[in-house]
Amino acid sequence: MLVDPNRRSDRPKVSLKRIPVPVARAVVDCGIYRDGQRLAGRFGFAEALAQVRDNEGGFVWLGLHEPDADQMSAVAEVFGLHPLAVEDAVAGRQRPKLERYDDTLVLGLRTVAYVEHDMHSTSEIVLTGEILIFLGPDFVVAVRHGEHSGLRQVRAELEADPDRLRLGPGAVLHAITDHVVDTYLEVVQEIETDVEEMEQEVFSPRSRLAIESIYQLKREIVELRRSVIPLSLPLQSLIRPDSGLSKEVRRYLRDVADHHTTAAERVHDFDDALSALISATLARIAVRQNTDMRRISALVALAAVPTMIAGIYGMNFERMPELKLAWCYPAVLTVMVLACGGLVVIFRRNGWL
């Protein structure tokens, strides 16, 4: 039986209902910290915040990894987060920035990671991610995007230092920021090695480095610069007395700002160095092309002399008296050899061959 393709189906359309994913799927860790120590036990974020506020002491540190809109809305409802900041936490790909919503600070950080690669092939060199930190009087919510931006080590190191934990949520803000800036310095060190290797390769006598590899590294440097340099203004805002952070936390953050300045300056230097390498490579390619053209021109000239002489004597005119002479053939060959030999001497003296 033939079915008319233009006939509309009488079956009702079935709409698939979206099943919400529990918030626990996005929670990496949630802990209550009081007097520099983490309280024993496992807590949901709502239960943890309620316990902190009921006992009027300590703070909650909640870590989330790539939450969706529904999961983040549930967290925002408990902690009282602003909808605009929540939207940024879900969307990701934000520039480093610092914003204040009432008594909550929101700090956006871009994370980076170095990828091992072959210098002679174009590949991804720098991975980027994001951490958005919500800092309140009694809570810290860290939202991560990217697989390389884990904070498990940061939490463990901070839990091993009760004196810093007693500084409150500001200590967590400093620990995360310090960790991110330290990764900037590590990536910068790795890329510095790549730039030095490229410089040696470009200026080596028999370089086989393609200019595409330099462009690739320069593009990755641009991505790194977009992640590192914009963090300067938020850090300067955090170390000001009106930032709302304690004096001791601001001292720690001042050291982070110094490290960040070092990383930013080196990233800027890399960009200039790669621009110089591109110019040097283009100049070297131009010189190589000119050398090749001179060699080709010399070979063409060497071929043109015997061709011209042979062409003249190949016209077969009857009134060419030298054609009848016995010494004509060896004389013509001798002239060809001497002319080509003279051209070879001249071209080699001028560096064309």
Side-chain angles (χ1 to χ4, degrees):
M1 179 174 127
L2 297 178
V3 179
D4 185 3
N6 297 324
R7 181 181 177 184
R8 295 183 178 179
S9 176
D10 295 333
R11 295 179 180 178
K13 294 183 179 180
V14 179
S15 59
L16 298 178
K17 186 177 180 180
R18 184 176 179 276
I19 301 176
V21 180
V23 183
R25 292 285 185 89
V27 175
V28 179
D29 199 355
C30 180
I32 300 176
Y33 298 87
R34 184 176 297 141
D35 296 328
Q37 300 292 333
R38 177 170 180 167
L39 299 188
R42 299 177 61 88
F43 304 91
F45 60 90
E47 175 190 0
L49 186 63
Q51 182 171 339
V52 166
R53 290 180 175 175
D54 290 344
N55 295 329
E56 297 182 354
F59 65 93
V60 177
W61 182 357
L62 172 65
L64 302 173
H65 182 244
E66 296 184 354
D68 59 24
D70 294 336
Q71 293 169 336
M72 198 63 207
S73 296
V75 174
E77 184 177 355
V78 172
F79 289 92
L81 307 180
H82 196 278
L84 292 177
V86 171
E87 183 179 349
D88 291 341
V90 174
R93 305 298 297 175
Q94 303 294 320
R95 286 175 59 86
K97 60 182 180 179
L98 177 67
E99 297 177 335
R100 177 180 290 276
Y101 298 94
D102 298 329
D103 58 348
T104 302
L105 278 177
V106 181
L107 175 63
L109 304 168
R110 295 291 298 274
T111 61
V112 297
Y114 180 79
V115 180
E116 295 292 340
H117 62 283
D118 183 10
M119 185 174 62
H120 294 278
S121 65
T122 56
S123 59
E124 192 170 22
I125 302 173
V126 178
L127 292 178
T128 60
E130 184 179 359
I131 299 178
L132 201 65
I133 305 172
F134 297 86
L135 185 73
D138 51 9
F139 67 85
V140 178
V141 178
V143 182
R144 300 190 295 108
H145 290 272
E147 297 298 330
H148 64 277
S149 56
L151 299 176
R152 189 180 302 275
Q153 180 182 355
V154 176
R155 189 184 288 262
E157 291 177 355
L158 199 55
E159 289 175 356
D161 191 353
D163 292 336
R164 287 175 60 193
L165 268 178
R166 290 191 183 94
L167 298 176
V172 179
L173 175 69
H174 162 260
I176 296 176
T177 307
D178 185 50
H179 170 71
V180 171
V181 173
D182 284 345
T183 59
Y184 291 168
L185 294 173
E186 293 173 2
V187 172
V188 163
Q189 184 64 39
E190 295 289 346
I191 291 182
E192 184 176 11
T193 302
D194 288 343
V195 173
E196 291 176 353
E197 291 179 357
M198 281 192 172
E199 288 177 344
Q200 295 177 359
E201 184 74 20
V202 167
F203 295 107
S204 63
R206 296 182 179 180
S207 174
R208 58 187 182 90
L209 181 64
I211 195 171
E212 289 82 4
S213 300
I214 304 178
Y215 275 118
Q216 173 73 8
L217 183 55
K218 186 174 177 62
R219 187 186 68 81
E220 295 297 314
I221 291 296
V222 171
E223 184 70 19
L224 181 63
R225 184 175 60 188
R226 291 174 180 171
S227 300
V228 173
I229 293 180
L231 184 58
S232 176
L233 290 179
L235 288 177
Q236 294 301 320
S237 299
L238 285 173
I239 63 179
R240 290 205 303 257
D242 59 349
S243 63
L245 301 174
S246 66
K247 185 177 181 180
E248 190 65 21
V249 172
R250 294 202 308 272
R251 287 176 179 173
Y252 282 114
L253 287 172
R254 193 174 295 112
D255 181 66
V256 175
D258 292 339
H259 292 171
H260 175 268
T261 300
T262 301
E265 289 175 351
R266 295 174 71 180
V267 169
H268 182 74
D269 293 340
F270 292 156
D271 193 42
D272 293 341
L274 289 176
S275 297
L277 279 182
I278 291 175
S279 300
T281 304
L282 292 176
R284 184 166 186 169
I285 292 174
V287 170
R288 186 180 302 167
Q289 289 176 344
N290 290 336
T291 302
D292 293 340
M293 287 301 299
R294 286 187 297 180
R295 290 177 179 174
I296 294 172
S297 301
L299 294 175
V300 169
L302 291 176
V305 171
T307 302
M308 180 187 67
I309 297 174
I312 292 175
Y313 284 94
M315 292 186 293
N316 295 325
F317 290 126
E318 293 183 0
R319 301 197 176 193
M320 296 179 72
E322 60 271 21
L323 295 177
K324 304 283 186 183
L325 301 176
W327 51 266
C328 181
Y329 178 69
V332 170
L333 291 181
T334 302
V335 170
M336 287 183 182
V337 172
L338 291 177
C340 292
L343 289 176
V344 169
V345 172
I346 294 173
F347 289 148
R348 284 188 174 178
R349 184 175 299 173
N350 295 329
W352 284 39
L353 286 177

